[in-house]
Amino acid sequence: MDAIARLREDLSRAGYTADKVVEAITDQGQLALTRNHTVAATRALAGRDDPLATLIRLFILQQPQPAPAVAHALDVDSLMRLGILQAHTDGFRAALDIRPYAHEIDQVYGWVVSDHVAELDTRDCPPSPDLVLGVNPASMSLAQITPARQVEGALDLGTGCGIQSLHLAKHASQVVATDLNPRALTLATLTFALNGIEASTKLGSLYEPVAMQSFDMIVTNPPFVIAPQVGQRLTYRETEYPSDEFMKAVIQGAEPRLDPGGSLHIVGNWAHITGQDWRQRVQEWIPQGCDAIMIQREVLDPYEYIEIWLADAGLRGRQEYIQRYDQWLTYFDELKIEAVGMGWLTMVKSGSETPRVITEHWPYAVNDDVADDLMAHLTAMKYADLPDEEILKTGWVLADGTIQESTGTPGEPDPSHIVLRRTDGLGRAHEVSTASGGILGACDGDLPLGTIINAVADLLDQDHQALTSNILAEIRTLICQTWLTAT
């Protein structure tokens, strides 16, 4: 049995799974780890010397473990040869973070290999330039917006620790994982082997390693941090491109690498430039032949944005902190960056002569099936070009998961406001009038929209033509927002 297969067996035998780890360290310990603190988890494991406790202390809490305990849980010799374990005065220390992973929606279970968190328990330990991050909020967001549709070929652009490839392997026949960082490919390869998946790895920047290939799906959480080119730079988050030009290059370079109907899914940043509408600016990035939806989830002012990434670089409390802060602000001033947007992009190679693009600020909670909803938005955009008569003669169905909420003054017979709310996808809400509420409530696919509008006009004693004219713009918006689908 090879070393990785033996490691997989040892991890499984110890019950080293996401659920069992949380059970062992408690919810408090898990939450503390998201803040890079180990005290709660350490206290929860007090008195335990079983293999699961040893693995948690070794790989997650970065604590050296006695040789007998490690030998009881793992094949020490083979892991020493692989560089996963290192001899320590107190026994052995893990050179890498091997962490259980579970994603219930995509049914992805296994382990992810990455570098250790650099500043665990407030250690003064700035990360190495080639640090390979483990699972993080950005990578989880990317998995959330990537639809689990069956495809032939998929590209994990900038694979890092390989987490996206674990998801892609569930629904792609072939997976290619690329990265500019050789260390990332080394650790991603360990992740793939440990989980028994096949993915080919290629070294290089952007689409250079796959210049002669095309794919049905591309997913990427690229190095999107907008930063001045000074001091130590971190490969996983920064490039030599100015401002947000790397994001633009990822988007525009995708079109030749996508097969017809193929999709691109990105989590990233974009600059808000003084005097420019961010929506119009990013819309211009979408290449001809593609449609896209860009959802801005958060906007940070320069100070908050810079503080987050200075802390991420391990500079908080260090002598050069204020100098780097000032250099960053000067860089933003030169580029006229007044804020930074953070969010998602989904793009489809649709063949459109003129790109159809939705740009929207949506900071609200979303549902588990948001990936499918984003793709549905792109499908629905084609209806924006239909003439009125086509929309009116079509039967439409109100989306499943739509509920109605009413508010009003206590004692009044009628509500003041009626709101339709989606319990799926983006979780949209839409306030309706008596007329539009009646029309939408009758959209079950059996009757053409025009017939429904005329019937509601008769009930409300309104002119057919006037109601049709007044309601069509609202209906078009609801169609594009996937409230209504054609039968």
Side-chain angles (χ1 to χ4, degrees):
M1 181 184 300
D2 66 35
I4 294 299
R6 172 65 185 273
L7 175 59
R8 185 190 312 126
E9 183 179 279
D10 289 339
L11 298 179
S12 299
R13 184 174 58 251
Y16 192 56
T17 66
D19 287 345
K20 291 297 184 181
V21 167
V22 173
E23 182 181 318
I25 66 176
T26 74
D27 290 336
Q28 287 181 319
Q30 179 70 6
L31 286 172
L33 283 174
T34 66
R35 303 188 299 269
N36 291 338
H37 287 276
T38 66
V39 174
T42 299
R43 289 175 67 88
L45 295 173
R48 290 184 55 167
D49 61 358
D50 56 283
L52 176 58
T54 298
L55 295 177
I56 295 172
R57 294 187 184 107
L58 191 67
F59 290 121
I60 299 177
L61 306 185
Q62 300 183 30
Q63 297 170 354
Q65 293 298 288
V70 177
H72 182 55
L74 298 166
D75 179 6
V76 172
D77 290 340
S78 65
L79 297 186
M80 289 277 287
R81 288 193 296 271
L82 286 173
I84 293 174
L85 289 181
Q86 296 174 340
H88 190 270
T89 55
D90 296 329
F92 293 100
R93 181 185 291 277
L96 298 173
D97 184 315
I98 300 178
R99 195 167 301 218
Y101 179 74
H103 192 283
E104 300 292 339
I105 304 301
D106 287 356
Q107 295 289 291
V108 177
Y109 305 97
W111 302 274
V112 175
V113 182
S114 67
D115 282 319
H116 284 304
V117 175
E119 291 189 291
L120 203 63
D121 292 329
T122 70
R123 295 173 190 161
D124 184 9
C125 183
S128 169
D130 64 352
L131 177 85
V132 179
L133 286 181
V135 179
N136 58 80
S139 62
M140 292 302 295
S141 290
L142 181 55
Q144 184 182 25
I145 67 167
T146 301
R149 61 187 181 95
Q150 294 297 315
V151 296
E152 179 62 29
L155 172 62
D156 180 4
L157 183 71
T159 187
C161 65
I163 183 60
Q164 303 306 324
S165 288
L166 295 190
H167 286 263
L168 292 173
K170 297 286 289 188
H171 57 90
S173 300
Q174 296 179 318
V175 177
V176 177
T178 67
D179 208 290
L180 176 66
N181 182 1
R183 181 168 177 77
L185 292 185
T186 297
L187 300 195
T189 299
L190 287 174
T191 294
F192 303 154
L194 194 54
N195 291 278
I197 72 164
E198 292 186 6
S200 62
T201 58
K202 297 189 176 186
L203 180 67
S205 179
L206 277 171
Y207 300 100
E208 295 169 0
V210 292
M212 305 304 293
Q213 294 177 260
S214 60
F215 303 89
D216 299 304
M217 181 178 288
I218 301 173
V219 302
T220 181
N221 172 25
F224 55 66
V225 177
I226 302 171
Q229 296 185 25
V230 297
Q232 178 174 283
R233 301 175 64 76
L234 302 173
T235 304
Y236 71 84
R237 72 178 208 182
E238 295 159 329
T239 72
E240 295 180 355
Y241 284 69
S243 188
D244 52 14
E245 288 293 313
F246 191 75
M247 275 285 293
K248 178 181 177 181
V250 171
I251 293 168
Q252 295 190 333
E255 190 275 336
R257 303 278 68 78
L258 285 172
D259 291 324
S263 59
L264 168 71
H265 309 273
I266 303 179
V267 171
N269 282 182
W270 42 87
H272 285 219
I273 306 297
T274 302
Q276 297 184 28
D277 185 332
W278 74 270
R279 294 172 177 83
Q280 181 177 349
R281 183 169 175 272
V282 298
Q283 284 175 5
E284 294 173 355
W285 294 354
I286 307 305
Q288 184 177 358
C290 296
D291 296 328
I293 177 169
M294 182 173 279
I295 301 295
Q296 183 170 263
R297 298 288 290 158
E298 188 176 9
V299 179
L300 300 180
D301 67 51
Y303 299 98
E304 185 176 7
Y305 185 81
I306 293 168
E307 289 163 9
I308 287 172
W309 295 113
L310 285 172
D312 180 74
L315 295 177
R316 188 165 46 194
R318 298 179 71 86
Q319 185 175 356
E320 65 266 39
Y321 182 88
I322 296 299
Q323 179 186 9
R324 291 287 297 277
Y325 202 145
D326 185 65
Q327 289 170 334
W328 216 319
L329 287 171
T330 299
Y331 181 68
F332 273 27
D333 288 342
E334 291 171 351
L335 295 175
K336 298 182 179 180
I337 297 175
E338 62 183 16
V340 178
M342 310 174 75
W344 310 329
L345 172 85
T346 295
M347 185 176 84
V348 170
K349 187 171 181 176
S350 61
S352 300
E353 291 186 9
T354 301
R356 302 184 183 99
V357 185
I358 297 171
T359 49
E360 189 167 1
H361 181 66
W362 193 260
Y364 315 108
V366 300
N367 298 288
D368 291 334
D369 56 354
V370 68
D372 293 332
D373 193 25
L374 295 176
M375 292 293 289
H377 275 71
L378 296 175
T379 301
M381 282 197 292
K382 65 184 180 183
Y383 293 111
D385 299 331
L386 287 180
D388 290 348
E389 55 268 26
E390 286 292 325
I391 290 179
L392 291 171
K393 72 180 185 181
T394 300
W396 300 93
V397 178
L398 187 63
D400 290 338
T402 300
I403 60 175
Q404 178 175 301
E405 299 174 350
S406 301
T407 58
T409 304
E412 292 293 328
D414 297 317
S416 302
H417 302 279
I418 299 175
V419 174
L420 299 184
R421 189 174 300 278
R422 295 278 292 275
T423 58
D424 61 351
L426 289 170
R428 292 189 181 278
H430 181 76
E431 186 169 357
V432 295
S433 64
T434 301
S436 61
I439 292 167
L440 293 172
C443 286
D444 58 6
D446 289 341
L447 296 173
L449 177 64
T451 302
I452 294 173
I453 292 174
N454 290 340
V456 171
D458 289 339
L459 285 172
L460 299 178
D461 195 24
Q462 295 186 20
D463 180 76
H464 289 192
Q465 186 174 352
L467 181 57
T468 299
S469 178
N470 291 336
I471 207 74
L472 267 176
E474 181 180 359
I475 292 295
R476 283 183 181 276
T477 297
L478 292 173
I479 291 170
C480 289
Q481 293 180 350
T482 72
W483 288 89
L484 296 169
T485 54
T487 55

